[in-house]
Amino acid sequence: MLLTNIENFNLNQIADSGQCFRWKKTAKDTYQVIHRNQVVTISQTAGGTIRLDCGEDEYLETWERYFDLAEDYGKILKSINPRDEYLVAAGNAAQGIRILWQDPWETMASFIISQRNNIPRIKATIERICEKWGNPIPYKGGVVYTFPRPEVIAYADPAELEAAGAYYRAEYLIEAAKNHQGRVDAWAAKDQQEAFKILTGFHGIGPKVANCICLFGLHFTGAFPKDTWISRIEEEHYNGAFPYWKYPGTAGIMQQYMFYYERMQQGKI
């Protein structure tokens, strides 16, 4: 499947945006992506052409939505206040980022694992958990693994989760999995505020992780997660508080632009 004339889409920027942990870079500008029980290899040429190793039906049923390709990010970029020099620069630098439509349960578990952790360790832990408790998917002569369902993690041995790299977060994962089984109302929440309230009721999920789940798992793009990077940006450029209320429904996208841009400025990307 070939896609041309897709603007504001950059695979490398999305991969480095901190929202996804299972993308595997297999070649220059090429990634293997697993979503639920499907896998695709996607690549992008210097001219912007996108190639996916799937047919049109699978693309329309799964990947178009997953990559948020129906959204007009050019319009979102144009909504940036031109007097906000920092955000304008961030948007220009990170204009290829899109908010993925990831599986909510996987997003919840992944960001629980992300607490007080770094990206290489997060990825390694998630991969070990998938290999042990996920389902195998034959792919290109090898095998990849789905993210394990909550009913599996709910009854996993805590010691084995700890050994896989979850450490103290193992109990949070198990409790979240058990709650998820009978408490899926977070996924059916009518708005971001309701979802946030439900999520912060889970043991081990604070405001930052709840906002990450709202943004990256439930696609409430008005959610504005604050980590040390964003807090530093707010202190240095916004007198301690970014005016996210000026961007209703898109504040989370602005957060991604700033997060990527600041890390790029600091040589982390």
Side-chain angles (χ1 to χ4, degrees), residues 75-134:
K75 181 179 179 181
I76 293 168
L77 285 160
K78 288 176 183 176
S79 74
I80 295 174
N81 182 347
R83 294 187 296 275
D84 187 336
E85 294 182 3
Y86 182 85
L87 188 55
V88 168
N92 287 336
Q95 62 183 278
I97 291 176
R98 290 177 179 248
I99 306 298
L100 304 171
W101 285 83
Q102 299 183 83
D103 177 76
W105 156 247
E106 179 177 342
T107 306
M108 172 190 276
S110 297
F111 279 95
I112 287 174
I113 292 167
S114 77
Q115 297 177 81
R116 298 185 181 182
N117 217 341
N118 63 46
I119 289 177
R121 283 203 303 262
I122 296 165
K123 289 183 175 181
T125 298
I126 290 172
E127 207 54 41
R128 284 191 291 267
I129 287 172
C130 291
E131 288 174 3
K132 184 167 182 61
W133 288 283

Side-chain angles (χ1 to χ4, degrees), residues 243-263:
Y244 59 85
W245 54 89
K246 292 183 178 180
Y247 300 97
T250 60
I253 300 171
M254 304 305 162
Q255 186 264 16
Q256 283 281 274
Y257 294 154
M258 294 189 295
F259 178 77
Y260 181 93
Y261 179 61
E262 190 68 18
R263 293 177 69 233

Side-chain angles (χ1 to χ4, degrees), residues 139-201:
Y139 184 67
K140 292 188 173 181
V143 63
V144 297
Y145 293 87
T146 65
F147 195 88
R149 299 307 305 155
E151 56 268 23
V152 176
I153 296 299
Y155 299 100
D157 183 336
E160 291 185 343
L161 279 171
E162 291 174 14
Y167 301 114
Y168 71 89
R169 308 169 196 89
E171 64 175 294
Y172 302 158
L173 281 173
I174 290 171
E175 184 166 338
K178 288 180 177 177
N179 284 339
H180 181 277
Q181 286 183 285
R183 221 176 123 187
V184 296
D185 42 0
W187 314 150
K190 66 180 181 296
D191 56 35
Q192 175 189 322
Q193 289 72 28
E194 181 183 353
F196 180 85
K197 182 178 179 180
I198 293 167
L199 288 165
T200 50

